[in-house]
Amino acid sequence: MFFTLKYDKLKEQNKRYKPKTKERTLLEIKGEVTDIIYQNEVNSYTIAVFETDEEETTIVGYLPFVKSGDTLKVEGKFVEHKDYGRQFKVETFEKLMPETLGALEKYLANGSIKGIGEATAKKIIKTFGEDTINVFKFEPEKLAQIKGISKSKAIEMSESFIENWEVWQIVGFLERFGIGAENAKKIYDLLGINAIEQIESNPYILIDMARGVDFKQIDQMALKLGISYDNQKRVESGIKYGLIKATYNGHSCVIKQNLIDYVISLLDVTTEAIEDNIINLKAKGEIIVETRDEAEWIYLENFYNVEKEIATRIIRLDKSKNLKKIEHIENALKGVEKKSNIELSEKQREAVLSINDSNVTIITGGPGTGKTTIIKTIIDLFEERKKKVILTAPTGRAAKKMTEATGKEASTLHRLLGIGKLDDEGIYSRHSDYKGEPIDADLIVVDELSMVDMFLMNYLLNCIYQGTKLILVGDVDQLASVGPGSVLKDLINSDTINTVKLDKIFRQAAKSKIVLNAHRVNSGLGFIKNDDEEIEEDTKQDFFFIRQNSTEKMLQEVISLSTGRLEKFGNYDFFKNIQVLTPTKKGPLGTRELNKALQAVLNPNVDELPERKMGDVVYRVGDRVMQIKNNYDITWEREANPFGLGKIDGKSEENSWTSMYLAKPKDKKEIGTGVFNGEMGTIIEIDEREKVVKIQFDDEKIAWYEYADLDQIEHSYAITIHKAQRKRI
């Protein structure tokens, strides 16, 4: 071997830290990448010509950062592709320094090193020969001996060479602990040239850096690296992870004792160790401890600050001196009632009139209590006076429902605020750093507020001009948001914001058994029966209770209802009109088993369509799926302005609040980022060659998922009741 780098110590470390694995029958071959046939920019799936001492073959697999001229040691097996013949499928790989001058020249010329092309690579090899690598590493100023290379450029070349190799060292280091190579460049960018040393010192810094890697995986890595069980960094990381884990269930803070119990189960450490490190984290300002209700509550610092910001902003908005009133509102209200041919109840009238004296109003009540009628009335009052009204909701389905009910266009909050939207320079706003643009409106109405988490609420409040009226609508008895915080419930319980509580079920709504049963359940009563006195003759038959005494019969009942039995009630199509709900994920009637059973009858693979197996789950074209975590990085596209936003009678409304989302005339597609927890869609393509799955969501956006990212979705033929309540569609 001509060239060596002084990484002997690192190599020994890597050998020492290599986790024990089951014996595998994989082949190991070494050679040079002579040509890149194909490389996916998104997921780095690569098809390349690979030359060994014995033969030239085709290698395929996920090979991030690999370029023509690279020398690799690959591990995998030969497979027979139905169209392309014999290929070597790579499972793991390691980048090596070139072993010949010719290979080194190709490596320098392949674009990996900034400022070096084919001509410059030839000159460098001709000048320095076998000493080339040492020159790059230790004596970069010598590169300036070559005509056309200045001292500053020589330094740049050296830094690029070292960076490139350091990234590869990180790749090799991480792979030994089962952490994917796709994280290597990000880790290097964040930690720099001493990344491995920093990781060895504190592996838990990877928690926020390594996409798709959970705490237990990093914890196992730390223990292999010699971190003790009661190490301060380990315990502090476990505490912070416990607080983050709580946010997955909607909590912004945790009772101290509950947190301690969780960390004990996670780390197997003593209560004393946890107590000591809670004090350490508090002293460093990373957590906040607050005593209330005779208990200690612990927040992550940023969650505590967001809650404070919401309180400050909403009080400031409500108490703003810039209070826009509707003159002679009682007479105006009578006019709207007459024009719309409606008669408001006393509570509804109270709700409408109360907005005149408050900048922020909460309207809450269960189904059928007239919330929509109030919204429509308020909209009419403002629009008759040429006031600008914006309607919004946290989900696509809620926004669509709001549009249908009011006859006015509504948008999702994410769309209104521009979260996940690319700007002209290709920069997009992220959930973590979004600042927001002020919303030009006289009145903003937010429906289904129970689904809004604390971060989204904070962003909204940050974008509202002082003096804008804000009406928050929702049912406090619904489940809380996917994200942390119970915004609606907490605002109501604060007794600070003007709140109108609706409890009367209107006659029309009372003809629905669904509405009646919803209120009965909230009151602790059982389902109504057909012979109940409160049931009128013309009550809708929209609720049925079918009792079955065995799991098998229940399953067959669900399948029967899903595959045609409901057609007599309205020609229901499963994929458009039916959703199966269940209380749990596990068990014979949980989502996992129900989805398998429903997929088998609703979308069997009769035409041998491409499919992707993940464990015991099979994804195929036509499957209904749901995003199960927020992903702010995934890119999507859709036909520009699919809902006709900002248009009236087919013509563009110049001053429409939706104009910011309209594509330019020359644009055919809208491009953005972010798919959120609960969004549902259909698999429309599986590309086996590129290893990606194409999903079209219900709001018409199309996103591509690498096979490695399929843990972010699950089938949605059946979903849990919690997920149904919280979905972001």
Side-chain angles (χ1 to χ4, degrees):
M1 188 171 182
F2 284 101
F3 312 106
T4 58
L5 289 175
K6 296 181 180 180
Y7 284 105
D8 295 338
K9 181 181 177 183
L10 175 64
K11 289 178 180 178
E12 288 302 313
Q13 289 173 332
N14 288 344
K15 288 178 183 178
R16 189 167 76 244
Y17 301 144
K18 190 170 183 178
K20 294 181 180 179
T21 58
K22 294 181 180 179
E23 291 293 325
R24 296 185 297 175
T25 56
L26 298 179
L27 298 174
E28 183 181 282
I29 58 176
K30 186 171 67 175
E32 179 188 335
V33 178
T34 58
D35 187 28
I36 300 290
I37 300 172
Y38 170 82
Q39 191 165 55
N40 187 294
E41 293 182 0
V42 177
N43 63 6
S44 298
Y45 181 76
T46 303
I47 304 170
V49 179
F50 194 66
E51 189 175 303
T52 70
D53 292 339
E54 290 80 27
E55 64 176 337
E56 185 180 87
T57 189
T58 301
I59 59 173
V60 299
Y62 298 99
L63 304 173
F65 315 119
V66 167
K67 294 185 178 182
S68 180
D70 286 343
T71 301
L72 305 178
K73 181 170 67 177
V74 297
E75 196 175 58
K77 58 185 178 181
F78 284 100
V79 297
E80 196 71 26
H81 193 280
K82 62 181 180 180
D83 296 322
Y84 302 102
R86 187 170 180 258
Q87 299 176 334
F88 189 86
K89 186 177 181 181
V90 179
E91 297 289 337
T92 64
F93 70 99
E94 179 182 350
K95 188 173 181 178
L96 308 173
M97 285 307 294
E99 297 184 353
T100 67
L101 285 174
L104 180 59
E105 183 179 319
K106 287 183 182 178
Y107 171 70
L108 294 175
N110 69 12
S112 298
I113 314 302
K114 291 179 182 177
I116 302 180
E118 290 185 14
T120 304
K122 281 184 182 293
K123 293 177 183 177
I124 291 172
I125 295 297
K126 186 178 179 179
T127 303
F128 301 109
E130 296 182 8
D131 200 37
T132 297
I133 291 178
N134 285 327
V135 168
F136 271 101
K137 285 193 67 187
F138 306 115
E139 300 176 286
E141 64 278 359
K142 285 187 175 181
L143 293 169
Q145 297 173 15
I146 298 172
K147 188 176 180 180
I149 300 179
S150 64
K151 286 186 178 181
S152 61
K153 190 174 180 181
I155 299 298
E156 279 184 14
M157 289 176 176
S158 172
E159 289 175 347
S160 180
F161 181 91
I162 293 170
E163 174 183 324
N164 188 268
W165 192 250
E166 283 291 331
V167 169
W168 278 104
Q169 298 307 304
I170 296 170
V171 169
F173 180 78
L174 295 178
E175 276 204 335
R176 282 152 177 80
F177 300 98
I179 299 174
E182 68 273 10
N183 291 294
K185 185 63 167 65
K186 181 181 178 183
I187 290 169
Y188 178 84
D189 289 341
L190 291 170
L191 299 180
I193 196 168
N194 297 316
I196 292 175
E197 288 82 353
Q198 293 182 64
I199 295 168
E200 288 178 320
S201 173
N202 181 16
Y204 300 100
I205 60 177
L206 294 177
I207 291 173
D208 295 325
M209 299 180 195
R211 184 168 62 92
V213 181
D214 64 18
F215 179 87
K216 289 185 177 180
Q217 192 173 358
I218 292 173
D219 192 43
Q220 287 299 309
M221 175 185 182
L223 295 172
K224 288 185 175 77
L225 288 169
I227 298 290
S228 63
Y229 267 71
D230 59 353
N231 182 279
Q232 179 179 331
K233 294 169 183 175
R234 181 173 187 255
V235 181
E236 285 186 357
S237 296
I239 292 168
K240 288 190 286 186
Y241 180 76
L243 291 169
I244 293 169
K245 189 84 171 179
T247 67
Y248 299 163
N249 295 317
H251 304 298
S252 59
C253 57
V254 179
I255 292 176
K256 181 179 176 180
Q257 188 56 53
N258 292 346
L259 177 63
I260 289 173
D261 292 342
Y262 176 80
V263 177
I264 288 174
S265 68
L266 181 71
L267 303 180
D268 192 23
V269 294
T270 65
T271 299
E272 290 76 14
I274 300 169
E275 293 263 18
D276 289 344
N277 283 282
I278 286 175
I279 294 171
N280 293 337
L281 289 169
K282 182 182 177 183
K284 291 188 287 188
E286 295 184 40
I287 64 172
I288 304 294
V289 181
E290 186 177 80
T291 301
R292 65 175 187 272
D293 303 328
E294 298 182 354
E296 288 185 288
W297 295 80
I298 300 180
Y299 293 79
L300 286 168
E301 184 260 350
N302 63 315
F303 284 78
Y304 182 82
N305 289 339
V306 168
E307 284 201 352
K308 284 186 66 177
E309 285 177 18
I310 291 173
T312 301
R313 284 171 173 166
I314 203 161
I315 290 172
R316 186 186 299 139
L317 179 64
D318 190 44
K319 304 304 181 184
S320 171
K321 294 179 181 179
N322 187 10
L323 181 62
K324 296 176 183 177
K325 289 193 172 190
I326 295 176
E327 294 183 3
H328 312 295
I329 188 170
E330 293 196 20
N331 290 334
L333 181 55
K334 289 178 182 178
V336 170
E337 285 182 287
K338 185 176 180 180
K339 185 178 179 180
S340 304
N341 195 27
I342 60 171
E343 185 177 348
L344 299 178
S345 71
E346 185 178 339
K347 273 284 187 182
Q348 289 175 317
R349 184 177 294 274
E350 176 190 332
V352 175
L353 294 177
S354 70
I355 69 169
N356 231 28
D357 299 315
S358 303
N359 278 329
V360 183
T361 298
I362 298 171
I363 300 172
T364 184
T369 54
K371 297 189 297 294
T372 301
T373 301
I374 294 172
I375 293 172
K376 289 173 66 175
T377 302
I378 294 171
I379 292 170
D380 289 342
L381 278 171
F382 273 73
E383 290 194 336
E384 281 187 359
R385 284 147 187 80
K386 308 299 181 184
K387 302 295 185 181
K388 194 171 184 179
V389 179
I390 290 178
L391 308 183
T392 186
T395 72
R397 184 168 292 180
K400 184 179 179 182
K401 182 182 175 184
M402 200 178 185
T403 298
E404 292 169 349
T406 63
K408 308 294 180 182
E409 194 66 58
S411 167
T412 65
L413 278 164
H414 283 88
R415 192 173 177 90
L416 171 64
L417 299 172
I419 297 174
K421 182 180 182 294
L422 289 167
D423 65 16
D424 293 336
E425 297 180 352
I427 307 296
Y428 59 91
S429 56
R430 297 173 58 91
H431 210 281
S432 59
D433 61 14
Y434 181 69
K435 302 300 181 185
E437 296 288 333
I439 302 169
D440 182 18
D442 297 294
L443 171 70
I444 300 172
V445 181
V446 186
D447 201 9
E448 301 289 359
L449 192 74
S450 64
M451 300 186 205
V452 177
D453 67 34
M454 57 193 288
F455 291 103
L456 197 55
M457 187 66 184
N458 197 34
Y459 297 151
L460 173 64
L461 293 171
N462 190 43
C463 297
I464 298 177
Y465 283 117
Q466 296 298 305
T468 301
K469 285 192 179 294
L470 177 64
I471 296 180
L472 307 172
V473 185
D475 183 358
V476 75
D477 290 316
Q478 292 187 27
L479 294 175
S481 64
V482 176
S486 301
V487 175
L488 177 61
K489 185 178 180 180
D490 289 346
L491 286 176
I492 292 172
N493 290 341
S494 72
D495 290 326
T496 303
I497 306 301
N498 174 44
T499 302
V500 180
K501 298 179 181 179
L502 305 172
D503 51 18
K504 178 185 176 183
I505 306 175
F506 287 86
R507 181 175 176 82
Q508 186 175 357
K511 294 183 181 297
S512 166
K513 283 187 178 180
I514 296 174
V515 172
L516 289 173
N517 279 320
H519 286 273
R520 287 177 67 95
V521 169
N522 280 338
S523 302
L525 303 173
F527 295 144
I528 56 176
K529 300 181 177 63
N530 288 330
D531 59 353
D532 282 352
E533 292 183 0
E534 65 182 276
I535 300 300
E536 300 182 17
E537 291 184 6
D538 58 346
T539 297
K540 292 180 187 176
Q541 294 299 301
D542 57 4
F543 182 99
F544 299 89
F545 182 78
I546 304 171
R547 187 182 296 276
Q548 292 292 353
N549 296 319
S550 75
T551 299
E552 183 61 32
K553 287 182 178 179
M554 281 188 256
L555 177 59
Q556 292 306 314
E557 196 79 50
V558 171
I559 292 173
S560 174
L561 290 165
S562 301
T563 55
R565 189 168 149 194
L566 291 173
E567 287 185 358
K568 65 180 181 180
F569 292 97
N571 194 31
Y572 290 118
D573 175 80
F574 183 90
F575 292 92
K576 295 179 180 178
N577 312 112
I578 298 174
Q579 181 63 67
V580 177
L581 306 179
T582 183
T584 182
K585 287 186 175 182
K586 300 178 181 179
L589 293 175
T591 56
R592 294 170 184 171
E593 294 303 320
L594 279 174
N595 275 313
K596 290 179 185 177
L598 289 167
Q599 182 195 41
V601 296
L602 292 167
N603 192 34
N605 197 3
V606 293
D607 298 321
E608 298 185 354
L609 295 170
E611 56 184 34
R612 174 63 178 171
K613 191 172 183 180
M614 300 283 290
D616 63 344
V617 178
V618 176
Y619 294 104
R620 61 175 65 108
V621 173
D623 277 343
R624 289 289 291 166
V625 293
M626 177 172 58
Q627 181 78 10
I628 59 173
K629 62 177 71 172
N630 290 335
N631 183 337
Y632 300 98
D633 297 322
I634 193 166
T635 301
W636 52 258
E637 67 176 40
R638 64 177 158 211
E639 294 299 319
N641 199 29
F643 305 114
L645 298 177
K647 295 184 179 180
I648 298 175
D649 298 327
K651 298 179 180 179
S652 179
E653 183 187 0
E654 293 183 2
N655 296 319
S656 171
W657 63 269
T658 57
S659 61
M660 63 184 288
Y661 302 112
L662 294 176
K664 299 173 184 177
K666 64 180 181 179
D667 294 337
K668 294 183 179 180
K669 295 187 181 295
E670 178 188 3
I671 300 173
T673 60
V675 179
F676 303 104
N677 190 352
E679 293 200 61
M680 296 174 76
T682 302
I683 295 176
I684 58 175
E685 186 181 337
I686 296 177
D687 192 322
E688 292 180 302
R689 189 175 181 86
E690 296 193 19
K691 309 296 182 187
V692 294
V693 174
K694 187 176 182 181
I695 300 174
Q696 182 169 11
F697 289 92
D698 290 350
D699 63 356
E700 303 300 322
K701 63 173 176 268
I702 294 173
W704 289 261
Y705 286 71
E706 307 169 25
Y707 280 1
D709 291 332
L710 290 181
D711 61 345
Q712 299 181 29
I713 65 169
E714 61 185 28
H715 285 118
S716 62
Y717 297 96
I719 62 177
T720 64
I721 297 169
H722 279 72
K723 188 64 75 173
Q725 184 70 69
R726 299 172 173 186
K727 60 187 171 219
R728 300 190 181 279
I729 301 177

